[in-house]
Amino acid sequence: MSSNPAHEVRPLLPRLGEGRDGGPPLAQADHRALRFLTAGSVDDGKSTLIGRLLYDSRAILADQLDTLEKKAAGAPIDLSLLTDGLEAEREQGITIDVAYRYFATKKRKFIIADAPGHEQYTRNMVTAAAGSDAAVVLVDITKLDTAAKPLPLLAQTRRHALLAHLLRVPSIVFAVNKIDAVEHPAQAFAAVRDALLDFAERAGITVAEIIPVSALRGDNVTQPLDADWYSGPSLLQVLESLPPTQERKDGDLLIPVQYVAREGEGTGNQPRTLWGRVAHGRLKAGDAVQLFPSGQVATVAEVRLAGEAVDVVEAGQSAGVVLDRQLDVSRGDWIATPNTVHETQRFSATLAWLDTEPAAIGRKYWVRHGNRWVQARITGIESTLDIHTLEANGAHQLAVNEIGQVTIETQQPLPVEAYESNRIGGSLIIVDPTSNRTSGALLVKATI
Ligand code: GTP
Ligand code: MG
């Protein structure tokens, strides 16, 4: 095994349309698809729901269906088995963080990230959320005491909704599952809905929709719920109508360099092309750019999408940039509008800690910003968020699954931005140098 964490750890921000580490970006085919993740507690029914969406939208291959039907021997098929391959991979540890599934309706293409519900997998949920347009948080209604006032929600429901909110997933949908298994669905759903709305309001979470579903029976997933007490949309109708993520296309440009295609690579004797997903802004031939950390300036000779020269590239696209001169640029550098980037070695951040080894002040970690790795230390831990009361309590360390406010010092200056203004420029992952595990996700608040 290599000791370079870059080879061991999956990126925090897996973006479709981008190639794997070291490879050129893929075509833009999936660009318009809605990326969403399913989250929730263990056994809330995430895999069954995904199976149901794939099954009802006919996205399942005939041979897969054959196998499932044989297995069921006449009984209704177990749709969660459609993600079975994934289950096995998870047991091997960190080889697969999140499994992606694809399906399409007449209206839209979808990419689903299935994040396991167990607490120890919260970091997978964070990975999935960071690149998603929407989060569907499942709530198992059979696990809740719907007669209690106030109705207590599960810790994982709160945590996952909070994380999706902190990671600025644009739309958060609650799917209240197993509605088939409660005696008085109308009253039970109303009670859960009120509890979710109350929690969301206190946490400052904007809820896109709260809907009842039965993933098992397929009620209100793609087919409307046949009940006199509900006349709202089905899950699929909600997903088809959610707005796409608004990328900031105006103003200054920022691109993390993911891959440098060397001279002569690809067709003909091309000059070097710098590939990366545009974090914000747009770029065309003739524009001036500045590179970081070198600070060198150049003029853009050509911009490309999927290997073809185009007039302009913009936020959200995986773009190729050819400069008018040969500069020393490598993976991990940033391309920006000249004089717009402020590099810093100290910043405050929200830290979602995901490792069983607590976050410790003063210890050396690796952090990854864009595609660049540097060493860093946590210089202060100010507080941790109580996910039940939503209060910030004073703290000196962060245990697994805790969310806190921290200060960070990096060994080299980084062009960080506030996470609020940009998800790519404002996020870093923390990697433990001894275990090589992704230990936390940092969301930058301000430079200090
Ligand atoms: P993890 O991946 O372990 O976090 O679980 P999960 O959220 O993927 O749950 P899964 O889909 O495996 O479902 C858990 C159990 O709940 C299974 O036994 C399902 O058959 C059952 N289940 C799922 N959806 C429904 C539903 O709508 N109604 C009822 N009655 N049972 C359901
Ligand atoms: Mg599952």
Side-chain angles (χ1 to χ4, degrees):
M1 266 217 212
S2 153
S3 62
N4 179 357
H7 299 300
E8 307 296 334
V9 183
R10 303 215 146 217
L12 173 68
L13 306 168
R15 287 293 194 165
L16 284 135
E18 248 181 29
R20 283 273 149 232
D21 286 6
L26 306 171
Q28 294 293 309
D30 290 319
H31 190 62
R32 286 163 299 118
L34 184 88
R35 292 174 295 233
F36 70 94
L37 77 142
T38 54
S41 209
V42 186
D43 284 349
D44 281 357
K46 296 174 296 298
S47 300
T48 307
L49 184 76
I50 292 174
R52 171 59 65 187
L53 280 168
L54 299 177
Y55 182 72
D56 286 359
S57 63
R58 315 244 180 290
I60 296 169
L61 301 174
D63 58 336
Q64 270 180 299
L65 207 54
D66 248 21
T67 318
L68 288 179
E69 273 165 1
K70 275 195 200 117
K71 218 168 178 163
I77 62 171
D78 182 351
L79 292 170
S80 76
L81 292 177
L82 287 170
T83 55
D84 226 23
L86 159 68
E87 224 73 51
E89 283 158 331
R90 267 181 215 153
E91 277 158 23
Q92 295 166 15
I94 60 161
T95 36
I96 288 235
D97 296 318
V98 178
Y100 293 92
R101 295 280 181 277
Y102 303 82
F103 76 101
T105 64
K106 282 196 186 108
K107 293 207 175 121
R108 205 169 203 178
K109 285 192 278 183
F110 297 96
I111 298 158
I112 321 173
D114 183 14
H118 199 278
E119 293 212 1
Q120 78 192 84
Y121 293 117
T122 304
R123 68 200 159 103
N124 299 341
M125 189 253 151
V126 171
T127 308
S132 288
D133 302 307
V136 177
V137 181
L138 263 83
V139 179
D140 181 346
I141 198 164
T142 65
K143 281 190 202 145
L144 300 174
D145 178 1
T146 52
K149 282 194 176 41
L151 186 157
L153 297 167
L154 296 184
Q156 275 302 69
T157 305
R158 294 166 180 273
R159 182 173 290 122
H160 283 179
L162 275 170
L163 280 171
H165 169 66
L166 282 172
L167 290 159
R168 294 176 69 84
V169 177
S171 303
I172 297 176
V173 175
F174 288 103
V176 180
N177 192 29
K178 309 196 187 178
I179 198 79
D180 61 283
V182 289
E183 223 172 302
H184 303 290
Q187 290 90 326
F189 175 68
V192 174
R193 188 172 187 279
D194 286 348
L196 288 169
L197 283 175
D198 177 63
F199 164 69
E201 193 188 321
R202 286 188 300 122
I205 299 172
T206 308
V207 180
E209 201 74 57
I210 302 177
I211 56 166
V213 294
S214 167
L216 194 67
R217 294 190 0 180
D219 295 344
N220 213 35
V221 179
T222 61
Q223 303 304 316
L225 188 68
D226 185 16
D228 52 11
W229 55 269
Y230 183 76
S231 56
S234 68
L235 177 63
L236 190 62
Q237 282 173 324
V238 172
L239 293 173
E240 281 178 338
S241 63
L242 288 176
T245 302
Q246 290 301 317
E247 318 267 3
R248 176 152 62 85
K249 293 174 179 162
D250 294 324
D252 48 325
L253 170 97
L254 189 69
I255 305 176
V257 176
Q258 189 192 356
Y259 176 74
V260 180
R262 299 282 156 198
E263 214 166 344
E265 237 181 67
T267 51
N269 204 17
Q270 307 268 13
R272 289 193 308 172
T273 309
L274 318 177
W275 288 98
R277 190 176 200 266
V278 184
H280 53 72
R282 53 165 67 85
L283 190 67
K284 57 183 186 334
D287 287 352
V289 289
Q290 189 170 18
L291 290 144
F292 290 91
S294 73
Q296 301 167 102
V297 287
T299 303
V300 175
E302 190 176 283
V303 288
R304 295 181 187 167
L305 286 180
E308 259 173 50
V310 291
D311 290 341
V312 63
V313 293
E314 54 187 23
Q317 294 180 317
S318 292
V321 182
V322 183
L323 301 176
D324 67 340
R325 67 201 79 171
Q326 289 295 6
L327 298 177
D328 186 19
V329 189
S330 53
R331 174 183 166 82
D333 290 1
W334 294 82
I335 306 170
T337 305
N339 307 317
T340 57
V341 161
H342 305 285
E343 291 186 288
T344 182
Q345 281 181 257
R346 281 174 60 79
F347 57 89
S348 62
T350 300
L351 172 57
W353 193 254
L354 312 167
D355 201 332
T356 43
E357 184 80 22
I361 294 172
R363 240 194 100 187
K364 254 189 206 146
Y365 293 100
W366 281 103
V367 295
R368 173 178 157 155
H369 180 234
N371 298 303
R372 177 138 175 251
W373 291 96
V374 300
Q375 284 194 327
R377 284 180 307 131
I378 301 169
T379 50
I381 297 177
E382 276 92 62
S383 62
T384 166
L385 179 72
D386 182 319
I387 61 162
H388 298 284
T389 64
L390 298 171
E391 275 165 16
N393 300 325
H396 300 291
Q397 65 168 39
L398 289 182
V400 63
N401 287 326
E402 287 195 314
I403 299 166
Q405 296 305 320
V406 300
T407 47
I408 301 289
E409 204 170 288
T410 59
Q411 212 167 60
Q412 281 94 36
L414 295 176
V416 298
E417 300 184 291
Y419 189 76
E420 205 170 69
S421 70
N422 188 255
R423 289 208 273 180
I424 296 171
S427 65
L428 302 90
I429 56 168
I430 295 197
V431 168
D432 184 314
T434 33
S435 66
N436 260 343
R437 300 212 318 175
T438 306
S439 300
L442 281 166
L443 315 174
V444 178
K445 288 184 82 177
T447 57
I448 40 180

